[in-house]
């Protein structure tokens, strides 16, 4: 799936579910189970992604692997240092349920909440006959949803039913119900532009520059986030309050960042 579409299914919830039923009533154990079960898959996919980019750029696999090893060592040190500095400087905001426009501890809080939900209360909430039994049933339903399109493709192979990926569709349908999700529309536009229009009508440009552009944008974004966090985000130096404008509205005005909702 990831190799063909670039979409990576989050395996965290799967590890939490399995850990919750294997080690019931132990949320800390569920955290460790999730860490070793899901994070290993995530890191492996990240390493494979680097190897793929190296192949596109004609970089020897040995050189890419050495770079990955060096990056892991340096990254572990930098991440630990950044983690300590950020927690020390932004502790109050990180503990707040809502955070602010720049900092939020929602990922860690969510991880803790899920560990309690699945580790301590999984059997009581998600077992058959319990309140949220359909959450567990949905894993089985996910295996059934692709079957109609599979058989339709068998009978009508020219229509393109094999191009319908129910896993991605269901994931984004669920993702539309939480948080700020206007970025999904931007992804659709970018995907259509690069993977359809340029690939079909500007194939020479696509083959020559598309992956170089993707690698450059990824690297530039990561570097920008790193330096902005350090210099103006308040991680190390004094936090700089960004001016309010069209794409950065004042939260006090009741307007959300993506303009999809306004408090009355």
């Amino acid at each position: 799936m990831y190799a063909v579409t670039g979409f990576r299914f989050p395996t965290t919830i799967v590890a939490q579910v399995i850990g919750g039923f294997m080690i019931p009533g132990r949320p800390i154990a569920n955290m460790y189970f999730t860490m070793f079960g899901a994070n290993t898959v995530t890191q492996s996919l990240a390493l494979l992604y680097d190897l793929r980019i190296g192949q596109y750029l004609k970089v020897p696999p040995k050189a890419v692997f050495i770079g990955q090893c060096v990056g892991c060592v340096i990254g572990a040190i930098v991440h630990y240092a950044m983690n300590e500095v950020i927690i020390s400087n932004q502790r109050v905001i990180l503990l707040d349920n809502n955070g602010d426009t720049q900092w939020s501890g929602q990922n860690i809080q969510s991880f803790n909440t899920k560990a309690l939900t699945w580790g301590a209360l999984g059997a009581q909430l998600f077992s058959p006959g319990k309140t949220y039994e359909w959450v567990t049933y949905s894993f089985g339903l996910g295996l059934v949803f692709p079957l109609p399109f599979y058989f339709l493709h068998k009978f009508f192979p020219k229509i393109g039913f094999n191009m319908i990926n129910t896993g991605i569709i269901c994931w984004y349908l669920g993702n539309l119900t939480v948080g700020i999700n206007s970025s999904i529309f931007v992804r659709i536009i970018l995907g259509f532009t690069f993977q359809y229009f340029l690939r079909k009508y500007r194939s020479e440009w696509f083959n020559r520059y598309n992956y170089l552009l993707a690698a450059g944008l990824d690297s530039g974004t990561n570097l920008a986030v790193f330096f902005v966090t350090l210099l103006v985000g308040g991680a190390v130096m004094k936090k700089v309050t960004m001016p309010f404008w069209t794409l950065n509205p004042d939260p006090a005005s009741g307007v959300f960042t993506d303009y999809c909702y306004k408090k009355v």
Side-chain angles (χ1 to χ4, degrees):
M1 172 69 70
Y2 182 53
V4 175
T5 66
F7 178 81
R8 181 167 57 194
F9 280 104
T11 56
T12 305
I13 183 63
V14 178
Q16 288 170 332
V17 172
I18 296 175
F21 283 100
M22 289 181 61
I23 321 170
R26 300 177 62 186
I28 302 298
N30 188 276
M31 285 186 180
Y32 281 103
F33 188 92
T34 303
M35 180 179 66
F36 288 109
N39 288 4
T40 303
V41 176
T42 302
Q43 295 299 327
S44 299
L45 288 175
L47 294 176
L48 289 174
Y49 173 81
D50 294 337
L51 289 172
R52 184 184 68 174
I53 294 296
Q55 185 177 13
Y56 291 149
L57 300 178
K58 304 296 189 294
V59 179
K62 184 177 180 180
V64 176
F65 180 73
I66 293 174
Q68 289 175 327
C69 293
V70 174
C72 286
V73 175
I74 297 175
I77 298 173
V78 173
H79 276 77
Y80 180 79
M82 289 290 295
N83 184 69
E84 291 296 314
V85 171
I86 291 173
I87 291 178
S88 176
N89 293 339
Q90 306 294 338
R91 183 177 181 83
V92 176
I93 298 177
L94 294 176
L95 291 175
D96 186 84
N97 290 331
N98 298 320
D100 63 6
T101 56
Q102 290 180 293
W103 297 101
S104 172
Q106 64 176 3
N107 288 337
I108 304 301
Q109 294 176 14
S110 174
F111 187 77
N112 291 338
T113 302
K114 291 176 181 177
L116 289 171
T117 302
W118 288 104
L121 304 171
Q124 292 87 342
L125 293 176
F126 302 100
S127 297
K130 302 300 182 180
T131 306
Y132 301 106
E133 59 180 344
W134 278 100
V135 174
T136 306
Y137 294 154
S138 64
F139 288 97
L141 292 175
L143 299 175
V144 178
F145 286 155
L147 294 180
F149 300 100
Y150 172 79
F151 290 112
L152 285 172
H153 177 65
K154 287 293 184 181
F155 289 104
F156 309 102
K158 295 183 179 181
I159 295 180
F161 287 109
N162 60 317
M163 303 299 292
I164 298 177
N165 193 307
T166 55
I168 297 178
I169 293 173
C170 290
W171 167 257
Y172 278 106
L173 284 175
N175 201 38
L176 287 173
T177 63
V178 295
I180 297 176
N181 45 51
S182 56
S183 61
I184 296 176
F185 183 64
V186 178
R187 296 177 192 177
I188 294 174
I189 295 176
L190 292 175
F192 178 83
T193 302
F194 286 92
Q195 295 298 328
Y196 177 76
F197 179 79
L198 292 177
R199 190 172 190 171
K200 185 174 182 179
Y201 298 104
R202 300 290 187 273
S203 58
E204 183 177 352
W205 186 96
F206 181 88
N207 293 330
R208 180 174 295 183
Y209 298 114
N210 185 69
Y211 294 109
L212 290 173
L213 177 63
L217 290 175
D218 281 346
S219 302
T221 301
N222 290 330
L223 287 174
V225 170
F226 178 75
F227 285 111
V228 168
T229 302
L230 281 178
L231 301 178
V232 299
V236 176
M237 302 180 68
K238 184 179 179 181
K239 180 179 178 180
V240 178
T241 302
M242 295 297 169
F244 297 119
W245 62 299
T246 304
L247 296 181
N248 185 36
D250 185 357
S253 65
V255 178
F256 279 58
T257 306
D258 59 354
Y259 289 90
C260 288
Y261 177 77
K262 182 177 181 180
K263 295 180 181 179
V264 179

